[in-house]
């Protein structure tokens, strides 16, 4: 080891900040002998109090852990209060008792623990008990404290911003909690509503949201009108957390306003789009929308067309979305019709698609010829949405090991072991 390296290593001081501040105070005359004696007298009292609070003051291991806790609590407080300035920390030790500095560090952690851990409204009030958490955090470093404080501060700001958004539409916070809504999803929805339905007075259910999108598609917005802005009246402290969602909302807004995008699949409760936004569950409204959509369909022979024998034999009652997409993809690839694929069959299907291509029209024709007439529109919309999102991945010649394609099929289709 060279002399330079040795000197560099010696620069690292692993002592707790409390010890550094105390030594600095003594060496620079900030803490005199009388004050040092008082600090020595305070320390055992504080250790016993902490040991009693977290366990027992009569057990040596508990007392040793209490010593570590009081040193760390004081260090946390001094670091946070003085920004690691040893002279300022020494002055605090001179002017205040050890017990008060330990309590100040404990109060810091209590405020941290009281902050929300999740932006999901349904998780409110489900935090662990304070004492075990305080015991855990009393031995953490200042860097860990600051990292957790920043994380929870962002969560708290997101919750406050979501509640502010909800208030603009008279949306009750209890509804958010009962629905298990994520604060970020509420913020994103509020930003979309400013563009899609600027005069809306109520928070939308999926049917109302779809109508708002269709209405805007009939009268294309100018670039200025479609631009996202900080909502008027939003408190300045919440602007940053709202602006953090702009990128996601802009991308989804472009997709929503594109006439080529089929909306109905996006409104499915299990869709990726719905997971990013919060729409009210309103079963009665959804039933009304369904019947209204039936009224708008052609009431001729196609609507009344029953399922063919081929459909009944192939589907065998497996008419969930994953099974149907599996069937439609097989048809589009010119492969045997299945509603369930093994891993091996799924890999073979991807290779066939990359060799021969994907003919989406084949699946659309199959739906029109064999599916129940009343479900044609829904099934075709489901299929077109899948093709739009999945085609690039399924046909990519960069995915040599098929990892991305198979992951997509496991997620969207019906792939078993």
């Amino acid at each position: 080891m060279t002399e330079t390296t040795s000197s560099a290593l010696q620069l690292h001081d692993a002592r707790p900040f409390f010890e550094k501040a105390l030594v600095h105070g003594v060496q620079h005359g900030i803490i005199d002998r009388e004050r040092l004696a008082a600090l020595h007298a305070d320390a055992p009292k504080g250790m016993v109090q902490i040991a009693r609070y977290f366990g027992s003051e009569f057990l040596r291991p508990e007392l040793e852990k209490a010593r570590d806790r009081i040193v760390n609590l004081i260090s946390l407080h001094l670091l946070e209060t003085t920004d690691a300035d040893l002279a300022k920390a020494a002055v605090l030790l001179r002017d205040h008792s050890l017990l008060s500095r330990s309590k100040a560090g404990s109060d810091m952690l209590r405020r941290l623990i009281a902050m929300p851990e999740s932006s999901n409204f349904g998780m409110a009030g489900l935090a662990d008990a304070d004492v075990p958490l305080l015991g855990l955090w009393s031995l953490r470093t200042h860097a860990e404290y600051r990292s957790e404080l920043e994380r929870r501060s962002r969560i708290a700001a997101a919750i406050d911003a979501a509640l502010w958004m909800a208030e603009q539409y008279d949306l009750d916070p209890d509804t958010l909690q009962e629905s298990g809504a994520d604060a970020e999803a509420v913020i994103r929805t509020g930003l979309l509503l400013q563009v899609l339905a600027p005069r809306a007075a109520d928070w939308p259910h999926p049917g109302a949201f779809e109508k708002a999108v269709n209405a805007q598609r009939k009268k294309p917005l100018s670039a200025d009108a479609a631009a996202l802005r900080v909502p008027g009246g939003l408190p300045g402290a919440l602007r940053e957390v709202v602006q953090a969602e702009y990128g996601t909302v802009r991308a989804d807004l472009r997709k929503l306003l594109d006439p080529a995008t089929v909306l109905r699949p996006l409104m499915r409760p299990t869709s990726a789009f719905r997971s990013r936004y919060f729409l009210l569950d309103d079963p009665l409204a959804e039933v009304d929308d369904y019947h209204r959509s039936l009224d708008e369909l052609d009431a001729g022979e196609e609507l009344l067309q029953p399922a063919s024998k081929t459909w009944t034999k192939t589907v065998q009652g497996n008419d969930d979305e994953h099974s149907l997409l599996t069937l439609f993809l097989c048809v589009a690839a010119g492969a045997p019709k299945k509603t369930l694929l093994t891993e091996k069959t799924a890999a073979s299907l991807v290779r066939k698609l990359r060799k021969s291509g994907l003919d989406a029209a084949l699946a659309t024709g199959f739906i029109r010829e064999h599916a129940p007439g009343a479900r044609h529109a829904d099934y075709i919309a489901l299929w077109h949405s899948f093709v739009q999102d999945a085609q690039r991945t399924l046909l990519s010649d960069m995915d040599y090991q098929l990892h991305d394609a198979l992951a997509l099929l496991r997620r969207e289709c019906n792939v078993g072991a």
Side-chain angles (χ1 to χ4, degrees), residues 20-315:
K20 296 178 191 177
L22 185 61
V23 171
H24 181 89
V26 172
Q27 291 177 341
H28 291 78
I30 300 173
I31 297 175
D32 58 23
R33 290 186 178 182
E34 183 179 353
R35 181 60 192 149
L36 186 61
L39 293 175
H40 279 298
D42 272 351
K45 299 177 186 177
M47 289 169 54
V48 170
Q49 285 186 8
I50 290 175
R52 184 186 303 131
Y53 184 79
F54 288 107
S56 170
E57 70 271 33
F58 302 111
L59 299 175
R60 183 183 180 89
E62 294 292 332
L63 285 170
E64 290 176 347
K65 189 174 286 187
R67 178 192 59 199
D68 294 338
R69 291 189 200 279
I70 192 171
V71 169
N72 201 51
L73 288 170
I74 294 172
S75 295
L76 285 173
H77 165 69
L78 295 178
L79 279 165
E80 185 70 9
T81 306
T82 68
D83 197 23
D85 186 310
L86 287 173
K88 292 180 180 178
V91 170
L92 284 176
L93 292 177
R94 181 196 67 192
D95 295 342
H96 302 277
S97 69
L98 288 185
L99 295 182
S100 71
R101 297 311 88 196
S102 172
K103 182 178 183 303
S106 177
D107 289 343
M108 282 170 48
L109 295 180
R110 288 184 185 279
R111 288 192 293 270
L112 175 71
I113 293 168
M115 296 175 74
E117 292 188 84
S118 169
S119 62
N120 185 290
F121 284 93
M123 297 299 291
L126 298 182
D128 294 331
D130 280 0
V131 172
L133 282 176
L134 184 59
L136 174 68
W137 278 98
S138 66
L139 296 172
R140 295 282 183 87
T141 65
H142 182 253
E144 290 174 309
Y145 165 80
R146 289 298 309 178
S147 176
E148 184 68 4
L149 179 63
E150 290 174 11
R151 188 183 76 84
R152 294 202 190 199
S153 296
R154 288 194 297 270
I155 290 172
I159 290 174
D160 289 344
L163 290 172
W164 184 90
M165 288 276 193
E167 186 179 359
Q168 311 312 302
Y169 297 89
D170 292 327
L171 181 59
D172 195 316
D174 289 342
T175 301
L176 299 177
Q177 187 169 346
E178 291 167 5
S179 303
D182 287 332
E184 295 84 357
V186 175
I187 293 170
R188 295 185 199 113
T189 309
L191 289 172
L192 275 184
L193 290 178
Q194 287 190 103
V195 177
L196 299 174
R199 297 181 181 178
D202 300 313
W203 203 268
H205 54 75
F209 185 84
E210 190 174 344
K211 287 179 184 177
V213 175
N214 284 325
Q216 289 297 351
R217 284 183 174 184
K218 293 176 182 177
K219 48 176 183 179
L221 295 173
S222 66
D224 183 63
L228 296 179
R229 300 181 181 84
V230 174
L234 179 72
L238 304 180
R239 291 188 172 219
E240 184 177 349
V241 72
V242 171
Q243 290 172 331
E245 304 300 332
Y246 276 16
T248 299
V249 176
R250 283 196 187 100
D252 285 332
L253 185 59
R254 285 194 293 271
K255 190 173 184 178
L256 287 171
L257 295 178
D258 182 358
T261 301
V262 182
L263 292 178
R264 188 57 55 87
L266 297 181
M267 296 298 105
R268 286 183 288 147
T270 57
S271 73
F273 177 84
R274 281 289 297 274
S275 70
R276 293 193 295 274
Y277 295 89
F278 174 66
L279 301 176
L280 293 175
D281 291 326
D282 190 343
L284 291 178
E286 292 181 13
V287 169
D288 289 343
D289 289 336
Y290 175 74
H291 286 298
R292 191 176 297 111
S293 66
L294 289 182
D295 293 339
E296 294 170 355
L297 289 173
D298 181 10
E301 293 183 358
E302 183 179 4
L303 184 60
L304 300 176
Q305 173 187 317
S308 71
K309 291 182 180 180
T310 299
W311 179 272
T312 303
K313 181 179 179 180
T314 305
V315 174

Side-chain angles (χ1 to χ4, degrees), residues 340-346 410 413-417:
L340 173 64
L341 302 174
T342 64
E343 288 278 346
K344 184 176 180 180
T345 306
R410 293 187 199 102
C413 296
N414 201 3
V415 179

